Amino acid sequence: MNARTHTLIAAALVLGIASGPAAAHAAPAPPPAPTSTPSSASSERIAPLVSAPPNAAALEAAIAGLGPQHGDATAALVRVGGTAGRWQGSSGVADIRTGRDAIEQGRFRAGSVTKAFTAAVVLQLAAEGRVDLDGPVRRHLPGTVPDRYGAVTVRQLLNHTSGIPAADGPGDSFEAQWEHRFDVTDPRAQVANAVAKEREFAPGTAQHYLNINYTVLGMLIEKVTGLRYEDAVGARILKPLGLHRTSFPGRTGTRIQGPHNRGYQAIPKADGSRELRDVTEWNSSDRWAAGDIISTTADLERFTVALFSGRVVPRNRLEEMFTVPDVKDFASGKPAVMTAGLSRIVLPDGTVAWGKTGGRHGYNTAIGATRDLSRTLVYSVNATDAKGQDMNPVALGVIMAAFTK
């Protein structure tokens, strides 16, 4: 595969986004039994999109040698599944201080993968007739979106075409964010800060992937259900699917509860070396319904299979998650790729995959699958620059090994 193809794939996926005991290993298991098929209206191939079993050698190579001396990641957890076969592996260390092996069933911050859960709950409410996707948001949240913004709809929040700008934060640099890592953020204050600015564009005319859209959706979920956002997701998705190791830290929480691999950020030093700063403990309330979920690869795989199978969002609303709006990206001018909670990626061999990446300091995560569930992928990579502008090389290598021949 040429460098340009790698660059295009990385650009589409980044939205969201050694020594020691680091040997990768495979663990065979029976594949899940999906019940969904691609929509006849889809441009994807109707036949199984992936027929070959996972390339174990390529997957092992993608995560080999991880640890404190690796340039890009200290650990990785990977689960590849689907009707074409399964592969599971881990590499690296759980803690650079002790050098313990990475915990294969460890929990991690899944970042913007949270958006798939948020979108799923909103679409459930739409299927129940409690939310009109084409109705204005202010119908449910009076006064939240000012009149000068126009009739911002629920669907436009879901697919990032609302035109609402980002809220102010501590700054883009790691050090600025580090200084405020224990700050507790009120989502309503975030929204008020954002909408005090001028809109970026007329609603529905462009796409700009921003957390603020899902912060508003979290507020909408609370208003319609009468529950805390976290409780609504728990009652509607986590409990029914048995996702017992998936949780939200809460507005004041800073720790990952349960076994987990610690996350690190590489900090350049004056002498040309680098420090790996432990960033495991962090308050994620500024991400809330857009990015503060904690989970495991097993739980996220179960969620992905159930979602694509129509067991989370009723089929009459599921297509929203596989529909890309016909607009351009606000920043790049390229065709939009984001949907309601997911994104679309076309791989070099023509395979179309759908999924969601996420990044929190110390953790890069992704869920993905083909529509027919012939191939699924979940990974957590303990990236040492997880919020960097470029796709983490280890994560990109895992994606390419999982979905390409």
Short mmCIF file of all heavy atoms in Angstrom, two decimals, residues 170 176-186 251-254 282-286:
data_model
loop_
_atom_site.label_atom_id
_atom_site.label_comp_id
_atom_site.label_asym_id
_atom_site.label_seq_id
_atom_site.Cartn_x
_atom_site.Cartn_y
_atom_site.Cartn_z
N PRO A 170 -9.09 25.00 28.08
CA PRO A 170 -7.83 25.51 28.63
C PRO A 170 -6.76 25.76 27.58
O PRO A 170 -5.74 26.38 27.87
CB PRO A 170 -7.41 24.40 29.60
CG PRO A 170 -8.06 23.16 29.06
CD PRO A 170 -9.38 23.63 28.50
N ALA A 176 -1.13 22.75 28.82
CA ALA A 176 -2.28 23.54 29.25
C ALA A 176 -3.38 22.63 29.77
O ALA A 176 -4.01 22.91 30.79
CB ALA A 176 -2.79 24.38 28.09
N GLN A 177 -3.61 21.52 29.07
CA GLN A 177 -4.64 20.58 29.50
C GLN A 177 -4.21 19.84 30.78
O GLN A 177 -5.05 19.56 31.64
CB GLN A 177 -4.93 19.60 28.37
CG GLN A 177 -5.56 20.28 27.16
CD GLN A 177 -5.77 19.33 26.00
OE1 GLN A 177 -6.09 18.17 26.19
NE2 GLN A 177 -5.58 19.84 24.79
N TRP A 178 -2.94 19.55 30.89
CA TRP A 178 -2.42 18.88 32.09
C TRP A 178 -2.68 19.72 33.34
O TRP A 178 -3.08 19.18 34.38
CB TRP A 178 -0.93 18.63 31.90
CG TRP A 178 -0.21 18.14 33.12
CD1 TRP A 178 0.57 18.88 33.98
CD2 TRP A 178 -0.18 16.80 33.63
NE1 TRP A 178 1.09 18.09 34.98
CE2 TRP A 178 0.64 16.80 34.80
CE3 TRP A 178 -0.76 15.60 33.22
CZ2 TRP A 178 0.88 15.65 35.55
CZ3 TRP A 178 -0.53 14.45 33.96
CH2 TRP A 178 0.28 14.48 35.12
N GLU A 179 -2.49 21.00 33.25
CA GLU A 179 -2.69 21.88 34.39
C GLU A 179 -4.15 21.90 34.84
O GLU A 179 -4.44 22.20 35.99
CB GLU A 179 -2.25 23.30 34.04
CG GLU A 179 -0.74 23.46 33.88
CD GLU A 179 0.02 23.09 35.15
OE1 GLU A 179 -0.45 23.47 36.25
OE2 GLU A 179 1.08 22.44 35.05
N HIS A 180 -5.06 21.56 33.94
CA HIS A 180 -6.50 21.60 34.25
C HIS A 180 -7.11 20.19 34.26
O HIS A 180 -8.33 20.06 34.13
CB HIS A 180 -7.23 22.48 33.24
CG HIS A 180 -6.86 23.93 33.33
ND1 HIS A 180 -7.53 24.81 34.16
CD2 HIS A 180 -5.88 24.65 32.72
CE1 HIS A 180 -6.99 26.01 34.05
NE2 HIS A 180 -5.98 25.94 33.19
N ARG A 181 -6.28 19.17 34.42
CA ARG A 181 -6.77 17.80 34.26
C ARG A 181 -7.79 17.38 35.32
O ARG A 181 -8.53 16.41 35.10
CB ARG A 181 -5.59 16.81 34.26
CG ARG A 181 -4.84 16.70 35.58
CD ARG A 181 -3.55 15.91 35.38
NE ARG A 181 -2.79 15.72 36.62
CZ ARG A 181 -2.02 16.65 37.18
NH1 ARG A 181 -1.93 17.86 36.65
NH2 ARG A 181 -1.36 16.38 38.29
N PHE A 182 -7.84 18.07 36.44
CA PHE A 182 -8.81 17.70 37.48
C PHE A 182 -9.98 18.69 37.57
O PHE A 182 -10.79 18.61 38.48
CB PHE A 182 -8.11 17.61 38.84
CG PHE A 182 -7.06 16.51 38.90
CD1 PHE A 182 -5.83 16.75 39.49
CD2 PHE A 182 -7.31 15.26 38.35
CE1 PHE A 182 -4.87 15.75 39.55
CE2 PHE A 182 -6.34 14.26 38.40
CZ PHE A 182 -5.13 14.50 39.00
N ASP A 183 -10.06 19.59 36.61
CA ASP A 183 -11.18 20.52 36.58
C ASP A 183 -12.48 19.77 36.34
O ASP A 183 -12.54 18.81 35.56
CB ASP A 183 -11.01 21.56 35.47
CG ASP A 183 -9.92 22.57 35.78
OD1 ASP A 183 -9.27 22.45 36.84
OD2 ASP A 183 -9.70 23.48 34.94
N VAL A 184 -13.55 20.21 36.98
CA VAL A 184 -14.89 19.66 36.76
C VAL A 184 -15.66 20.64 35.88
O VAL A 184 -15.77 21.83 36.21
CB VAL A 184 -15.63 19.43 38.09
CG1 VAL A 184 -17.04 18.93 37.84
CG2 VAL A 184 -14.86 18.44 38.96
N THR A 185 -16.16 20.15 34.76
CA THR A 185 -16.83 20.99 33.78
C THR A 185 -18.33 20.74 33.77
O THR A 185 -18.77 19.58 33.75
CB THR A 185 -16.25 20.74 32.37
OG1 THR A 185 -14.84 20.95 32.40
CG2 THR A 185 -16.88 21.65 31.34
N ASP A 186 -19.11 21.79 33.74
CA ASP A 186 -20.56 21.71 33.65
C ASP A 186 -20.95 21.73 32.17
O ASP A 186 -20.65 22.72 31.47
CB ASP A 186 -21.20 22.89 34.38
CG ASP A 186 -22.72 22.88 34.30
OD1 ASP A 186 -23.29 21.95 33.70
OD2 ASP A 186 -23.33 23.82 34.84
N ARG A 251 -18.97 12.97 36.98
CA ARG A 251 -18.40 14.31 36.78
C ARG A 251 -17.15 14.55 37.60
O ARG A 251 -16.25 15.27 37.18
CB ARG A 251 -19.45 15.38 37.10
CG ARG A 251 -20.53 15.53 36.04
CD ARG A 251 -21.38 16.75 36.32
NE ARG A 251 -20.56 17.95 36.29
CZ ARG A 251 -20.88 19.08 36.94
NH1 ARG A 251 -21.96 19.13 37.66
NH2 ARG A 251 -20.10 20.14 36.85
N THR A 252 -17.06 13.97 38.78
CA THR A 252 -15.90 14.22 39.62
C THR A 252 -14.87 13.09 39.61
O THR A 252 -13.83 13.19 40.25
CB THR A 252 -16.33 14.47 41.09
OG1 THR A 252 -17.02 13.31 41.57
CG2 THR A 252 -17.26 15.68 41.17
N GLY A 253 -15.17 12.02 38.90
CA GLY A 253 -14.26 10.87 38.88
C GLY A 253 -13.00 11.14 38.09
O GLY A 253 -13.02 11.80 37.05
N THR A 254 -11.90 10.62 38.58
CA THR A 254 -10.61 10.79 37.88
C THR A 254 -9.92 9.46 37.61
O THR A 254 -8.96 9.41 36.83
CB THR A 254 -9.65 11.66 38.71
OG1 THR A 254 -9.39 11.02 39.96
CG2 THR A 254 -10.25 13.04 38.96
N TRP A 282 -7.49 11.37 35.33
CA TRP A 282 -7.86 12.58 34.60
C TRP A 282 -9.38 12.75 34.71
O TRP A 282 -10.12 11.78 34.63
CB TRP A 282 -7.48 12.44 33.13
CG TRP A 282 -7.27 13.73 32.39
CD1 TRP A 282 -8.23 14.63 32.04
CD2 TRP A 282 -6.03 14.25 31.89
NE1 TRP A 282 -7.68 15.69 31.35
CE2 TRP A 282 -6.33 15.48 31.24
CE3 TRP A 282 -4.72 13.80 31.91
CZ2 TRP A 282 -5.34 16.26 30.63
CZ3 TRP A 282 -3.75 14.57 31.32
CH2 TRP A 282 -4.04 15.78 30.69
N ASN A 283 -9.83 13.94 34.91
CA ASN A 283 -11.27 14.20 34.92
C ASN A 283 -11.75 14.43 33.49
O ASN A 283 -11.21 15.29 32.79
CB ASN A 283 -11.59 15.41 35.79
CG ASN A 283 -13.08 15.67 35.89
OD1 ASN A 283 -13.70 16.15 34.94
ND2 ASN A 283 -13.66 15.37 37.03
N SER A 284 -12.75 13.66 33.07
CA SER A 284 -13.23 13.73 31.68
C SER A 284 -14.59 14.41 31.56
O SER A 284 -15.27 14.25 30.55
CB SER A 284 -13.32 12.32 31.10
OG SER A 284 -12.05 11.71 31.00
N SER A 285 -14.98 15.18 32.57
CA SER A 285 -16.30 15.80 32.52
C SER A 285 -16.44 16.79 31.37
O SER A 285 -17.57 17.09 30.94
CB SER A 285 -16.61 16.50 33.85
OG SER A 285 -15.67 17.52 34.13
N ASP A 286 -15.32 17.30 30.84
CA ASP A 286 -15.42 18.21 29.71
C ASP A 286 -15.82 17.48 28.43
O ASP A 286 -16.21 18.10 27.44
CB ASP A 286 -14.10 18.95 29.50
CG ASP A 286 -12.94 18.02 29.16
OD1 ASP A 286 -12.95 16.86 29.63
OD2 ASP A 286 -12.02 18.44 28.43
#
